[in-house]
């Protein structure tokens, strides 16, 4: 019986891998490895040393364990599927860093002062705002997370962010403005529609910071 791994097409290698041929799976991963790494480096530029390579390895693991779910009928479609798996892994990492940035940013804005009698309430308020903001961002598509990463965390110019996302600068601005308005509405709804003590504290502290929810300033 001829060795199925002698075939060089990606679809053929995937078919053999689904049949349990580990050598075929290894060859498939070797084919896409460099492209996965290159894509992760582009998506995760500025995240940190080694992050792209680490996420690329995670993406390859996801490809290996999920190959049986791929229904690609051509090499181009299979390659696009592998790239989509890598993009999902990269977006997961971006979301993690966005949350870390949120914690640092709000922590700076509501910095506790030693001996401050309101420190406990402030801490409760910050936790509530973070939770609500995390919920709001969690419902946004990955394209929005990528845009926020480039504009808010990396502080790229509109042109740089647009280039990274395949948009025009004007298009990136419109998407950002719509996102801010949408997330603001979600946060306002979550905070004003609850009598939870932590969220009440959050409303009070936001008001002290000049972000009165009822006035639509937040």
């Amino acid at each position: 019986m001829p060795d199925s791994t002698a075939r060089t097409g990606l679809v053929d290698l995937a078919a053999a891998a689904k049949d349990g041929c580990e050598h075929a799976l290894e060859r498939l991963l070797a084919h896409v490895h460099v492209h996965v790494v290159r894509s992760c480096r582009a998506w995760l530029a500025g995240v940190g040393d080694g992050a792209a390579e680490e996420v690329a390895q995670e993406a390859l693991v996801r490809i290996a364990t999920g190959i049986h779910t791929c229904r690609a009928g051509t090499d181009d479609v299979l390659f696009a599927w592998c790239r989509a798996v890598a993009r999902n892994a990269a977006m997961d990492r971006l979301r993690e860093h966005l949350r870390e940035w949120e914690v640092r940013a709000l922590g700076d804005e509501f910095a506790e002062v030693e001996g401050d009698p309101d420190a406990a309430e402030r801490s409760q308020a910050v936790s509530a705002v973070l939770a609500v903001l995390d919920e709001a961002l969690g419902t946004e598509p990955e394209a929005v997370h990528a845009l926020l990463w480039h504009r808010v965390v990396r502080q790229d110019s509109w042109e740089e962010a647009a280039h990274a996302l395949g948009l025009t600068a004007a298009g990136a601005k419109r998407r950002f403005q719509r996102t801010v308005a949408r997330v603001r509405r979600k946060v306002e709804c979550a905070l004003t529609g609850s009598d939870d003590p932590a969220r009440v504290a959050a409303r009070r502290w936001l008001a002290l910071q000049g972000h009165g929810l009822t006035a639509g300033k937040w």
Side-chain angles (χ1 to χ4, degrees):
M1 181 177 179
D3 181 3
S4 63
T5 64
R7 298 171 295 184
T8 58
L10 295 184
V11 169
D12 293 327
L13 290 174
K18 291 178 183 179
D19 288 337
C21 180
E22 293 186 4
H23 182 53
L25 180 59
E26 290 174 358
R27 290 189 61 193
L28 173 63
L29 295 178
H31 270 292
V32 302
H33 176 268
V34 65
H35 303 288
V36 167
V37 172
R38 185 181 300 125
S39 295
C40 287
R41 285 174 177 167
W43 292 325
L44 298 171
V47 171
D49 293 340
E53 286 70 16
E54 181 181 332
V55 172
Q57 290 303 314
E58 168 64 21
L60 291 172
V61 170
R62 294 187 187 187
I63 291 171
T65 57
I67 190 64
H68 64 282
T69 67
C70 180
R71 299 292 182 265
T74 67
D75 285 0
D76 286 343
V77 175
L78 177 59
F79 183 80
W81 178 82
C82 291
R83 192 170 187 273
V85 172
R87 182 175 177 81
N88 287 340
M91 290 304 103
D92 287 344
R93 178 58 62 89
L94 283 179
R95 280 188 283 271
E96 291 175 7
H97 278 266
L98 277 173
R99 292 189 183 102
E100 292 172 4
W101 180 85
E102 292 162 13
V103 172
R104 291 196 300 271
L106 284 174
D108 289 342
E109 184 171 354
F110 297 107
E112 295 184 11
V113 178
E114 185 175 358
D116 184 352
D118 296 326
E121 185 177 24
R122 181 184 293 109
S123 178
Q124 184 182 43
V126 170
S127 295
V129 172
L130 281 173
V132 169
L133 186 56
D134 192 49
E135 290 173 6
L137 289 173
T139 61
E140 293 294 319
E142 64 179 38
V144 166
H145 292 133
L147 177 58
L148 291 174
W149 170 256
H150 284 284
R151 277 296 296 169
V152 179
V153 182
R154 290 191 59 189
Q155 296 187 329
D156 288 343
S157 68
W158 287 115
E159 289 74 17
E160 291 170 333
H163 177 74
L165 300 174
L167 302 170
T168 64
K173 288 180 182 180
R174 287 193 297 271
R175 180 178 294 181
F176 186 85
Q177 291 166 349
R178 289 195 298 268
T179 296
V180 170
R182 188 167 56 247
V183 171
R184 180 190 295 119
R185 288 194 297 271
K186 292 177 182 178
V187 171
E188 287 180 343
C189 181
L191 288 179
T192 59
S194 174
D195 292 328
D196 176 73
R199 296 194 176 188
V200 171
R203 293 199 297 269
R204 183 158 47 246
W205 275 108
L206 287 171
L208 288 175
Q209 296 293 321
H211 303 307
L213 299 180
T214 57
K217 297 179 181 178
W218 205 84

